[in-house]
Amino acid sequence: MSHHYMHVDGLSFSWPGGIRALDNITLAVKHGESLALIGSNGAGKSTLLLHLCGSIIPQSGAVDIGGVTVHKNNLKLIRRSVGMVFQNADDSLFMPSVYEEAAFGPRNLDLDEEHVAKKAEAALNLTGIMHLKDRPVYRLSAGEKKLASIAAVLSLEPSILLLDEPSASLDPKSRRNLINLLSGFSHTKIIATHDLDLALALCSRAVILNAGKIAADGNIIEIMKNAELLEKNRLEQPLSLRY
């Protein structure tokens, strides 16, 4: 598995009841790119991320990660390369302590406990929450839970990091700390967000989704400066570009 690219070809998906979430999406992401997925509620951002990590198998079209097609028979291989941080941290946190969350993934790779500890502690140090390692997850703040969920993903050392609304529920300081953390992640990042200032700080490319289709794809600064395009897709310019 080469990890060098991600390719989506003609991807379509409908939820039960016939609700069309993705409509013939074709998208290529090169290794090392930082891509922002932006769009209004219901545009298809989260659904696309769930396809990229293999949580949803394509109904029509295909997703290719480094030469491996996303398929139910390849999920273990895909998930060793792609890490997904969900919008609601409670959806992914289930271990009794912060350390156990970070150690869970490496343990499932059948590593010995010494290597598990190294990977878990490295992820906790990277996210700045080593001091919380023994704390029960239910006693964490929303921001701390977000960092714990990121640490749990980073402990697996993914080549591709997917984040769904990473700044949701964060206070300003926690949001700034998150931006600093993610800016140091040198591999591929795909961030679905309504926080366009965060997207501008972290990404060089933006894709606008509207009703499950790609409405725009290009340099993030050019897209963010195009007020007419943003308005057409029910978005507003980032505050940093308004003044």
Side-chain angles (χ1 to χ4, degrees), residues 101-227:
E101 287 290 350
F104 179 80
R107 282 201 182 112
N108 277 297
L109 298 178
D110 296 323
L111 300 176
D112 61 60
E113 206 55 32
E114 181 181 355
H115 283 88
V116 168
K118 285 182 179 179
K119 289 181 179 293
E121 290 174 5
L124 294 175
N125 279 320
L126 187 61
T127 51
I129 56 171
M130 177 60 83
H131 63 291
L132 299 174
K133 72 183 186 72
D134 297 320
R135 182 163 310 173
V137 169
Y138 69 85
R139 291 185 55 198
L140 299 177
S141 69
E144 290 167 343
K145 285 181 178 180
K146 181 73 71 173
L147 291 174
S149 65
I150 293 173
V153 170
L154 293 183
S155 68
L156 288 167
E157 300 176 338
S159 297
I160 299 169
L161 187 60
L162 311 177
L163 302 107
D164 194 358
E165 297 293 352
S167 61
S169 303
L170 297 186
D171 58 46
K173 183 176 180 180
S174 297
R175 177 181 173 278
R176 173 50 54 188
N177 289 340
L178 176 69
I179 290 173
N180 291 338
L181 167 67
L182 295 178
S183 65
F185 184 78
S186 60
H187 298 303
T188 308
K189 294 188 290 289
I190 301 178
I191 303 173
T193 185
H194 289 112
D195 185 345
L196 299 192
D197 282 289
L198 175 139
L200 197 57
L202 290 172
C203 301
S204 58
R205 177 183 170 198
V207 167
I208 297 179
L209 291 180
N210 189 338
K213 297 181 179 181
I214 293 179
D217 180 356
N219 178 276
I220 192 166
I221 295 176
E222 293 178 3
I223 285 178
M224 296 295 189
K225 286 183 175 180
N226 190 334

Side-chain angles (χ1 to χ4, degrees), residues 85-94 137 142 144-149:
V85 179
F86 293 90
Q87 177 176 354
N88 186 352
D90 288 324
D91 289 342
S92 57
L93 299 175
F94 55 90
V137 169
E144 290 167 343
K145 285 181 178 180
K146 181 73 71 173
L147 291 174
S149 65

Side-chain angles (χ1 to χ4, degrees), residues 23-75:
D23 190 355
N24 196 31
I25 297 289
T26 294
L27 179 69
V29 182
K30 294 184 289 187
H31 181 75
E33 273 198 286
S34 294
L35 171 67
L37 288 177
I38 60 177
S40 61
N41 289 334
K45 304 184 299 296
S46 297
T47 305
L48 179 54
L49 288 187
L50 291 172
H51 278 84
L52 298 182
C53 69
S55 291
I56 299 177
I57 302 301
Q59 294 172 341
S60 176
V63 177
D64 182 292
I65 309 293
V68 176
T69 300
V70 174
H71 185 274
K72 62 182 180 180
N73 296 331
N74 296 330
L75 293 184

Side-chain angles (χ1 to χ4, degrees), residues 226-242:
N226 190 334
E228 183 179 352
L229 173 65
L230 295 175
E231 175 72 21
K232 184 178 179 181
N233 289 281
R234 299 174 61 195
L235 297 167
E236 293 184 343
Q237 281 188 307
L239 289 173
S240 59
L241 292 181
R242 292 189 209 173

